[in-house]
Amino acid sequence: VDKKGLDYYAPNLAKESPIKFSTLGNFNIEGSFNGKINHFATNNKIATAIGNAQINLEINIPEEKDKLTVYSGTINGENIDIGVLLNNKEFGKVDANLKVKGEGFDINNADIYLDGNLDKFEFKNYAYKQILIKGSLDQKVFKGNLIVDDENLALSFNGEFDFANEKKHINALANLLHADFQKIGLSKEPFNGNADFDLNLYGSNINDLEGTAQLNNIDLKRGKEKLNIDFIQLHSKIASAINHEINIESNDFKLGIKGLFKVENIIDASKQYLYKYLPSYISKSKYNGEAQNFSFNIATKKIDKLIHLVNRDFDGFNNTIIEGSINTNEKQLLLNGTIPFCKINAIRINKAEFHGIGNLENLSLSSNIQQWMLGDTLWNTQVQLATNIQNDSIHCELETNSFNRF
């Protein structure tokens, strides 16, 4: 059988499926057919250019048009290159052993039960081993269990995923028992972690996501540094197109964003300002020009270990408060904050306050610092600093009331 034959005998399958059937090349089917035309058992070996399969099914096709075809049996796949089949380079080869029982082949009304395992599943150049699947797919709603028992990723998932509507719904509990993010290709540095997840989210993409998510018992390790976080909670609510609110809270910090924004544009909308101020140090923004008009607030608790885990040159920032807003239509950036203590490389700052206003040309900051330390030298002085930042140029005016001279 070749692609021409597949197009002739199953034109809808070839045209409407996301699967790239041309990659199968010429494939051979060898097996048996026992029974009647509407009730039979078939055992087939299928050899293709991108892998082989053994399919053993008993199929009952009802005479009534309003009833669904019933089937049961096993499907075994060996070295099936689903990346080539789906035209997606992130996926690789799969070894699968599945028991299947169901009614109907149309995903919109099919009721399918799956029980089996993926002995190999390649994703992003890593081959996961021992993935166990047990559950049902009923009219675009999957309910069941997924267990990954790989040496570098141990994960269990129990819940429901509903993709029947435009806004998908996931309601599930998951336990990440162990993950070596470097070995599975998600980190360039040694980075391990584990956590528990409780998810109840609706959305068609990251921008219209609503609901709640909670992570508990979070343990992270980067090299020799360890961090324990009791919990992280996320709440997202969209009251209207211009009133989207996201709140994230943990035992280390609180973060809130409210207004008109797309989550995928927040970083790039912010970077377009920073790039104008320091183009040699900030990469150019990919901001697409969609209107963003939102306020934000950050309040930290005891966050110094988390800060140091992310960047070893930074420390402190406990009990810091930062508030501000971005309005891309008005080309305006506002910043206000207080920092009780922070360390950036060799500079230590105590009791700092700052206020800033910026546009797409420059940023003006006024700061008040009660005490600061450079290296081993302590400047027990009050410093008022006015700073203007524009196109890699920083202009400062400094006033101090201390007797220290420098």
Side-chain angles (χ1 to χ4, degrees):
V1 180
D2 57 15
K3 182 179 182 298
K4 184 177 180 181
L6 185 65
D7 289 341
Y8 180 81
Y9 290 107
N12 291 333
L13 181 64
K15 292 179 180 179
E16 298 176 7
S17 174
I19 296 174
K20 194 175 181 181
F21 285 104
S22 60
T23 60
L24 296 173
N26 294 335
F27 56 96
N28 298 317
I29 302 175
E30 179 182 343
S32 63
F33 175 97
N34 296 308
K36 299 179 181 180
I37 192 68
N38 62 342
H39 187 191
F40 57 90
T42 179
N43 301 316
N44 297 297
K45 291 182 179 179
I46 303 175
T48 78
I50 60 169
N52 305 319
Q54 173 75 46
I55 299 176
N56 302 321
L57 290 177
E58 182 178 349
I59 299 176
N60 188 359
I61 304 173
E63 295 181 0
E64 300 88 344
K65 293 184 178 180
D66 59 340
K67 291 186 178 181
L68 301 175
T69 298
V70 178
Y71 49 89
S72 63
T74 61
I75 300 175
N76 301 316
E78 180 182 3
N79 279 326
I80 298 176
D81 196 332
I82 61 172
V84 173
L85 192 63
L86 298 175
N87 196 26
N88 188 326
K89 294 181 180 180
E90 291 190 339
F91 293 95
K93 296 181 179 180
V94 173
D95 290 344
N97 298 283
L98 299 172
K99 293 180 181 178
V100 59
K101 184 177 181 180
E103 296 182 359
F105 295 103
D106 186 341
I107 197 170
N108 293 299
N109 56 20
D111 184 0
I112 306 170
Y113 176 79
L114 295 172
D115 185 1
N117 59 281
L118 305 181
D119 294 327
K120 178 177 68 177
F121 182 80
E122 294 180 349
F123 181 68
K124 289 192 173 181
N125 298 316
Y126 180 79
Y128 295 90
K129 305 291 174 54
Q130 293 302 314
I131 301 176
L132 307 178
I133 302 171
K134 189 172 184 178
S136 64
L137 178 64
D138 184 4
Q139 297 182 22
K140 290 189 175 182
V141 179
F142 173 80
K143 297 179 182 178
N145 303 315
L146 176 71
I147 298 175
V148 181
D149 189 18
D150 183 83
E151 61 180 339
N152 294 310
L153 179 67
L155 170 70
S156 67
F157 171 97
N158 181 20
E160 175 181 314
F161 180 53
D162 183 349
F163 55 99
N165 302 307
E166 182 180 356
K167 277 200 169 187
K168 314 300 185 286
H169 177 215
I170 183 170
N171 186 3
L173 298 175
N175 304 101
L176 179 63
L177 304 177
H178 167 70
D180 188 324
F181 297 109
Q182 184 184 43
K183 288 185 178 179
I184 63 178
L186 299 181
S187 173
K188 294 182 180 180
E189 299 181 21
F191 193 16
N192 299 334
N194 59 270
D196 299 327
F197 298 79
D198 186 351
L199 309 174
N200 188 10
L201 297 167
Y202 295 83
S204 59
N205 56 59
I206 193 173
N207 296 312
D208 64 2
L209 204 62
E210 291 188 87
T212 62
Q214 179 155 333
L215 283 70
N216 297 310
N217 306 316
I218 306 163
D219 293 323
L220 301 174
K221 183 179 179 182
R222 179 185 179 188
K224 295 182 180 180
E225 296 180 80
K226 294 183 179 180
L227 177 67
N228 303 110
I229 303 175
D230 293 336
F231 69 93
I232 296 178
Q233 294 177 334
L234 178 144
H235 298 268
S236 179
K237 182 180 179 181
I238 303 176
S240 67
I242 60 173
N243 188 6
H244 184 181
E245 185 172 357
I246 295 177
N247 291 292
I248 301 173
E249 181 177 358
S250 82
N251 49 301
D252 290 327
F253 64 89
K254 288 184 178 181
L255 168 65
I257 305 172
K258 185 176 182 180
L260 170 65
F261 62 89
K262 282 190 174 181
V263 174
E264 64 183 12
N265 287 340
I266 289 176
I267 293 178
D268 282 322
S270 305
K271 279 179 64 177
Q272 72 165 339
Y273 292 89
L274 301 179
Y275 173 74
K276 293 291 185 178
Y277 307 151
L278 300 168
S280 296
Y281 302 92
I282 305 297
S283 60
K284 191 172 183 179
S285 171
K286 297 179 181 178
Y287 174 57
N288 60 15
E290 290 188 69
Q292 307 279 289
N293 184 7
F294 61 88
S295 61
F296 60 88
N297 60 83
I298 304 169
T300 70
K301 302 174 188 177
K302 190 171 176 57
I303 201 173
D304 51 342
K305 289 185 178 180
L306 178 59
I307 292 289
H308 196 62
L309 186 71
V310 174
N311 191 320
R312 293 185 177 92
D313 294 328
F314 287 61
D315 207 348
F317 294 95
N318 293 336
N319 303 312
T320 292
I321 297 175
I322 299 174
E323 299 175 338
S325 64
I326 288 178
N327 187 330
T328 58
N329 287 338
E330 300 293 332
K331 299 179 175 57
Q332 187 179 66
L333 167 67
L334 299 177
L335 283 173
N336 295 288
T338 59
I339 305 174
F341 168 78
C342 71
K343 174 181 173 293
I344 305 173
N345 290 320
I347 301 175
R348 290 176 170 85
I349 296 174
N350 287 329
K351 298 180 181 179
E353 296 181 358
F354 64 88
H355 305 278
I357 182 169
N359 52 36
L360 286 179
E361 298 298 328
N362 63 74
L363 173 66
S364 297
L365 281 172
S366 61
S367 308
N368 190 313
I369 302 171
Q370 295 295 320
Q371 185 185 74
W372 66 298
M373 188 173 183
L374 180 62
D376 296 327
T377 304
L378 174 66
W379 301 94
N380 192 18
T381 177
Q382 184 178 25
V383 175
Q384 293 180 337
L385 185 64
T387 307
N388 188 275
I389 306 171
Q390 180 178 6
N391 195 27
D392 284 339
S393 175
I394 301 177
H395 176 77
C396 296
E397 294 182 3
L398 185 147
E399 295 182 8
T400 177
N401 62 4
S402 170
F403 56 87
N404 290 322
R405 303 296 181 190
F406 56 98

